[in-house]
C-alpha cells in the first residue's frame, strides 16, 4: 500500500520530479513544492503520513525550525529532511528537531523510498555512514575556535595593541606615555581609540574583554615593549 506523503522544497523542479517518481511507485503525493517559510503551515494543514522536507543549508541557524513546529503540532507526521551532504552537526540538529531521518538530494529513488517506509514505521531513516559521522561528532566534538579575540586584534593598529597591553598591565596614561616615548596627550588619544574600537567605556572593561577573548595571548610581541617610566620603548632583554 502506498504512503500518503508530501514533498516540500524551495526547488520546484526537484520537488516535482521526486513527487512524479514517487507517484509512479504507487505513493499518494499531496503536494510538490512550497517556499521554506510556508512549509510548516502546509504540512500541518495536510497532515501526511510522511513529509520530505527540503533544505538547501542544513548548517544555517534555524534550518530545522519547520521540523520542530511540525512535530509539535502534528507529532504523528514523520519528517524526512531532504538536503545536501550535511555536516555531522547538521544531522544531529535535524534529529534534535524531531526529524525521522535525513535523505541526500542525490539519493536514488529506491533509497528515498526505503527511507520513507522506515520513517512511516517509526524507524530512523539515515544512511549508516552519515549516522556514524554524526555519532562520532557527538561523542568526540571538534573544538570550535573562539575567533573573537582575533577579530578584535585585527581592528587595532600595532601601536594600539601595545597600548591595550599596557592598559591591561595596569599602566596609567603617564606610564604609557613614558614607556612608549610619546606625549601624554598622544597616549590618552591612543587609549580612547582603543576603547572606541573595542566598544567599551573604561580601561577596566577593555582589560577584561582582552583577557576573556584571549586577545592578550595573541598580542604576543607587544608585551616585549613594556618599559618603565622615563625610558624609551624597546624590547626587554
Amino acid at each position: 500500500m502506498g504512503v500518503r506523503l508530501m514533498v516540500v522544497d524551495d526547488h520546484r523542479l526537484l520537488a516535482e520530479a521526486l513527487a512524479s517518481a514517487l507517484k509512479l511507485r504507487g505513493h499518494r503525493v499531496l503536494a510538490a513544492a512550497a517556499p521554506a517559510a510556508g512549509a510548516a503551515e502546509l504540512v500541518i494543514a495536510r497532515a501526511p503520513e510522511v513529509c520530505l522536507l527540503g533544505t538547501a543549508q542544513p548548517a544555517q541557524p534555524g534550518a530545522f525550525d519547520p521540523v520542530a513546529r511540525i512535530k509539535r503540532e502534528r507529532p504523528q507526521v514523520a519528517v524526512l529532511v531532504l538536503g545536501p551532504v550535511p555536516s555531522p552537526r547538521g544531522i544531529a540538529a535535524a534529529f534534535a528537531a524531531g526529524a525521522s531521518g535525513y535523505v541526500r538530494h542525490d539519493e536514488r529513488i529506491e533509497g528515498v523510498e526505503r527511507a520513507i517506509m522506515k520513517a512511516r514505521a517509526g524507524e530512523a531513516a539515515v544512511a549508516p555512514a552519515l549516522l556514524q559521522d554524526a555519532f562520532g561528532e557527538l561523542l568526540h566534538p571538534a573544538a570550535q575556535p573562539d575567533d573573537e579575540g582575533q577579530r578584535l586584534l585585527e581592528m587595532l593598529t600595532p601601536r594600539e595593541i601595545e597600548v591595550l597591553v599596557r592598559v591591561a598591565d595596569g599602566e596609567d596614561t603617564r606610564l604609557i606615555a613614558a614607556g612608549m616615548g610619546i606625549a601624554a596627550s598622544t597616549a590618552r588619544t591612543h587609549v580612547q581609540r582603543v576603547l572606541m574600537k573595542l566598544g567599551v567605556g573604561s580601561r577596566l572593561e577593555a582589560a577584561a574583554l582582552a583577557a576573556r577573548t584571549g586577545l592578550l595571548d595573541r598580542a604576543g610581541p607587544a608585551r616585549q615593549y613594556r618599559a618603565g617610566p622615563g625610558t624609551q620603548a624597546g624590547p626587554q632583554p
Side-chain angles (χ1 to χ4, degrees):
M1 182 179 178
V3 179
R4 185 168 171 267
L5 57 86
M6 294 180 67
V7 179
V8 186
D9 196 288
D10 271 344
H11 297 85
R12 179 171 293 276
L13 289 178
L14 172 65
E16 291 180 348
L18 182 55
S20 296
L22 290 169
K23 285 179 181 178
L24 289 175
R25 301 177 79 87
H27 301 289
R28 292 168 290 164
V29 184
L30 302 182
E41 288 83 354
L42 184 58
V43 176
I44 290 167
R46 304 299 293 272
E49 293 178 273
V50 179
C51 170
L52 281 164
L53 187 64
T55 179
Q57 297 178 307
Q60 183 178 352
F64 302 115
D65 287 352
V67 178
R69 184 180 172 195
I70 292 168
K71 296 304 294 184
R72 184 169 60 249
E73 299 193 28
R74 295 284 189 182
Q76 75 277 15
V77 176
V79 181
L80 285 174
V81 174
L82 181 67
V85 178
S87 68
R89 288 186 180 276
I91 287 284
F95 276 96
S100 297
Y102 193 104
V103 180
R104 287 173 44 171
H105 274 142
D106 59 356
E107 180 63 74
R108 295 173 62 87
I109 189 63
E110 293 84 3
V112 175
E113 187 173 39
R114 282 196 297 271
I116 290 171
M117 303 309 291
K118 283 187 175 182
R120 186 174 69 168
E123 302 175 22
V126 61
L130 293 180
L131 193 59
Q132 184 176 2
D133 287 345
F135 277 118
E137 175 68 21
L138 292 174
L139 293 174
H140 306 288
Q144 298 298 308
D146 179 7
D147 61 357
E148 185 180 4
Q150 183 62 37
R151 179 180 61 81
L152 294 175
L153 196 63
E154 291 172 355
M155 294 169 57
L156 305 175
T157 67
R159 175 148 287 196
E160 288 167 347
I161 293 171
E162 183 180 348
V163 168
L164 177 60
V165 168
R166 291 176 179 277
V167 167
D169 284 346
E171 293 187 4
D172 59 18
T173 302
R174 181 181 61 84
L175 287 176
I176 293 173
M180 297 180 66
I182 57 179
S185 60
T186 303
R188 193 174 298 110
T189 298
H190 282 316
V191 171
Q192 289 304 315
R193 285 178 179 170
V194 169
L195 299 184
M196 180 183 67
K197 287 185 176 182
L198 295 183
V200 297
S202 70
R203 298 183 184 211
L204 183 60
E205 288 181 86
L209 178 63
R212 178 176 62 79
T213 61
L215 191 156
L216 292 178
D217 295 332
R218 302 187 188 203
R223 284 196 175 275
Q224 298 176 2
Y225 291 89
R226 178 163 170 76
T231 63
Q232 295 293 318
Q236 293 183 346

